[in-house]
């Protein structure tokens, strides 16, 4: 790869490997493969990818912080609704049983399966919820143009760490499989909490498209020097 | 390709912030631990978690995942028997989902991570780009194995005493959940930069 300016598809700006080294503040090392770039001011809506491993280096979007905060706030409300409203209704031999997500978590709560109960609760409720709250805590002051919150840096780092462990979308697929498994045994119908949960998964997906980690980290660094 | 390392600088593996040498112990922007201070034990962590995941994956397949009690008669089914049951009921699509999530992905992941770790030590085996792609796939897909654990939890919550049938989780649910978690930790311990290391050294 030579040091000349690479331009790829329209609407995407390519990062440029530096010829001589400007101050480190202007450089970015690809987090995945360590390739070094001097990143120009990437316009809003454009995307800069690493030339070598194609990791997205930055993808700033207009008003991204505000949107992420709003979407995360919506997700928190939906999650609270999903916890307390009935999730699934099972009807067999004239008896109807309503189960909320809490029941799914608490079913293991005694005996040798306590650990599993905690794990399932963490993966489908606690970690997703904690991640939404962490993002609000970090990004709400950013969206208003204020100084970052006191422990914003470790909280954002934690939010990033939690990402692979919040498994709301996997739980949805699990529900679908469970529906089919008991289909012969009883009649199963979906409660309002299920749809709240589906909405939450979709909103999370939309929210993640607005997340530009580099922009957030840079903003955090600049604003904490105020 | 110029890398931070080949330019005599240190790049943060989390946020990409570049530091002059001698670099601080932690990234000045995001606080991530920077390489180059303590000896790098990431590969040892990869192997340790992978081995742990493999060990608990064995009971996950031998012991029952689900205990169904219908009219006083208890039937137990392992992961594989659960898949066979679904096929008997004609739910081929769901059987395939469970089979892929609980058997194909975990086993594929053991091989993929072991291969990536070995190829770091031996260098040059498969093209760097193919190896990078493999790592991305492993990271993306590994968590989906958790499906079956959720299915068991949902079934056990729904089908309780007041029905003709009761469903309870089996001990395999625990070891399977642990196996998924351990292999996720193994993949997370893997440093993707090591894939590109030998490429940096070779002149073009
Ligand atoms: Zn890269
Ligand atoms: Zn950093």
């Amino acid at each position: 790869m030579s040091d000349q300016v690479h331009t790829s598809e329209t609407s995407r700006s390519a990062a440029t490997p530096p010829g001589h080294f400007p101050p480190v503040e202007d450089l970015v090392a690809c987090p995945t493969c360590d390739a070094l770039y001097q990143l120009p001011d990437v316009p809003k809506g454009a995307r800069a990818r690493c030339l070598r491993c194609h990791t997205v280096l930055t993808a700033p979007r207009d008003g991204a912080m505000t949107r992420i905060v709003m979407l995360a706030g919506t997700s928190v409300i939906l999650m609270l609704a999903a916890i307390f409203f009935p999730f699934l209704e099972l009807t067999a031999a004239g008896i109807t049983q309503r189960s909320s997500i809490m029941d799914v978590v608490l079913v293991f709560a005694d005996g040798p399966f306590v650990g599993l109960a905690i794990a399932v609760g963490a993966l489908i409720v606690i970690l997703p919820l904690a991640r939404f709250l962490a993002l609000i805590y970090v990004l709400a002051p950013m969206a208003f143009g204020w100084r970052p919150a006191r422990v914003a840096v470790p909280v954002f780092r934690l939010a990033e760490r939690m990402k692979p462990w919040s498994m709301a979308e996997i739980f949805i697929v699990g529900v679908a499989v469970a529906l089919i498994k008991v289909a012969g045994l009883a009649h199963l119908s979906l409660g309002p909490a299920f749809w709240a949960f589906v909405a939450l998964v979709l909103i999370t997906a939309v929210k993640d498209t607005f997340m530009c980690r580099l922009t957030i980290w840079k903003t955090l660094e600049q604003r904490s020097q105020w | 390709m110029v890398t931070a390392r080949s330019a005599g600088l240190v790049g943060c593996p989390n946020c990409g912030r570049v530091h002059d040498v001698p670099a601080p112990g932690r990234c000045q922007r995001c606080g991530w631990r920077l390489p180059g201070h303590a000896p790098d034990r990431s590969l040892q962590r990869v192997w340790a978690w992978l081995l742990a995941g493999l060990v608990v994956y064995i009971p996950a397949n031998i012991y029952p995942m689900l205990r169904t009690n219908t009219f006083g008669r208890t039937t137990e089914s392992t992961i594989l028997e659960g898949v066979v049951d679904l096929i008997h009921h004609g739910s081929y699509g769901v059987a395939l989902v469970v089979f892929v999530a609980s058997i194909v992905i975990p086993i594929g992941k053991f091989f993929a991570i072991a291969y990536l770790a070995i190829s770091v030590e031996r260098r040059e085996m498969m093209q760097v780009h193919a190896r990078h792609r493999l790592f991305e796939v492993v990271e993306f897909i590994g968590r989906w194995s958790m499906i079956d654990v959720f299915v068991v939890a949902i079934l056990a919550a729904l089908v309780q005493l007041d029905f003709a049938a009761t469903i309870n989780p089996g001990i395999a649910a625990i070891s399977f959940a642990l196996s998924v978690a351990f292999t996720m930790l193994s993949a997370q311990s893997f440093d993707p930069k090591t894939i590109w290391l030998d490429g940096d050294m070779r002149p073009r």
Side-chain angles (χ1 to χ4, degrees), chain A residues 63-70 135-149 216 219-220 223 226:
Chain A
M65 309 258 185
T66 318
R67 285 184 204 187
I68 295 169
V69 171
M70 273 160 32
L135 288 177
I136 294 173
Y137 177 81
V138 173
L139 296 179
M142 303 279 115
F144 288 116
W146 298 342
R147 269 184 68 96
I216 295 172
T219 316
L220 275 176
R223 298 249 174 103
W226 286 359

Side-chain angles (χ1 to χ4, degrees), chain A residues 217, chain B residues 12-17 19 27-32 34:
Chain A
W217 279 121
Chain B
C12 171
N14 183 49
C15 73
R17 169 91 149 79
H19 300 259
C27 175
Q28 281 171 2
R29 180 153 68 194
C30 73
W32 199 267
L34 291 176

Side-chain angles (χ1 to χ4, degrees), chain A residues 1-3 17-18 21-22 24-25 27-37 50-55 87-93 95-100 103-105 107-108 112-114 116 119-120 123-124 153-154 157 160-161 163-182 185-186 188 213-214 217-221 225, chain B residues 1-7 9-20 26 28-32 66-68 70 77 82-83 86 89 91 94 97-98 129 132 135-136 139 143-163 165 167-174 177 180-182 184-185 188 191-194 196 199-200 204:
Chain A
M1 215 72 62
S2 61
D3 287 356
F21 296 113
V24 288
E25 286 73 28
L27 295 173
V28 177
C30 171
T32 310
C33 76
D34 207 38
L36 195 59
Y37 296 101
C50 174
L51 290 171
R52 181 159 72 163
C53 72
H54 309 298
T55 301
F87 195 80
L88 291 167
E89 285 178 5
L90 187 71
T91 315
I95 313 165
T96 300
Q97 183 178 328
R98 289 197 174 87
S99 302
S100 66
D103 298 323
V104 175
V105 173
V107 67
F108 299 141
F113 294 98
V114 188
L116 199 59
V120 169
L123 295 175
I124 63 179
V153 167
R157 213 168 57 219
E160 300 250 271
R161 279 247 162 134
K163 198 178 168 193
W165 299 97
S166 45
M167 301 192 176
E169 75 277 26
I170 300 173
F171 184 66
I172 294 286
V173 179
V175 172
V177 173
L179 281 177
I180 289 159
K181 273 204 160 188
V182 293
L185 204 65
L188 208 53
R213 304 171 62 244
L214 187 68
W217 279 121
K218 274 188 167 169
T219 316
L220 275 176
E221 189 182 32
Q225 284 161 358
Chain B
M1 177 119 275
V2 182
T3 64
R5 192 187 148 101
S6 68
L9 302 165
V10 177
C12 171
N14 183 49
C15 73
R17 169 91 149 79
V18 178
H19 300 259
D20 278 316
R26 284 174 179 278
Q28 281 171 2
R29 180 153 68 194
C30 73
W32 199 267
L66 212 57
R67 300 201 323 270
T68 314
T70 332
S77 60
V83 175
L86 281 167
H89 289 121
S91 316
V94 183
V97 169
V98 176
H129 283 277
H132 175 71
F135 176 69
E136 281 183 332
E139 266 216 313
R143 34 203 296 281
W144 284 91
S145 297
M146 213 54 111
I147 288 178
D148 221 23
V149 175
F150 294 149
V151 172
V152 171
I154 296 160
L155 290 179
L158 281 174
V159 188
Q160 282 306 320
L161 289 172
D162 33 355
F163 292 102
I167 293 182
N168 283 303
I171 208 80
I174 296 174
V180 177
F182 289 165
M184 279 176 71
L185 288 167
Q188 285 172 14
D191 178 4
K193 279 178 191 165
T194 55
W196 303 91
D200 296 344
R204 278 176 194 263

Side-chain angles (χ1 to χ4, degrees), chain B residues 4 31 33 36 50 69 71 105 134 140 151 165 171-172 176 178:
Chain B
R33 199 183 292 278
L50 190 66
N69 189 310
F71 304 114
I105 293 178
L134 183 66
F140 175 78
V151 172
I171 208 80
F176 188 76
L178 284 178

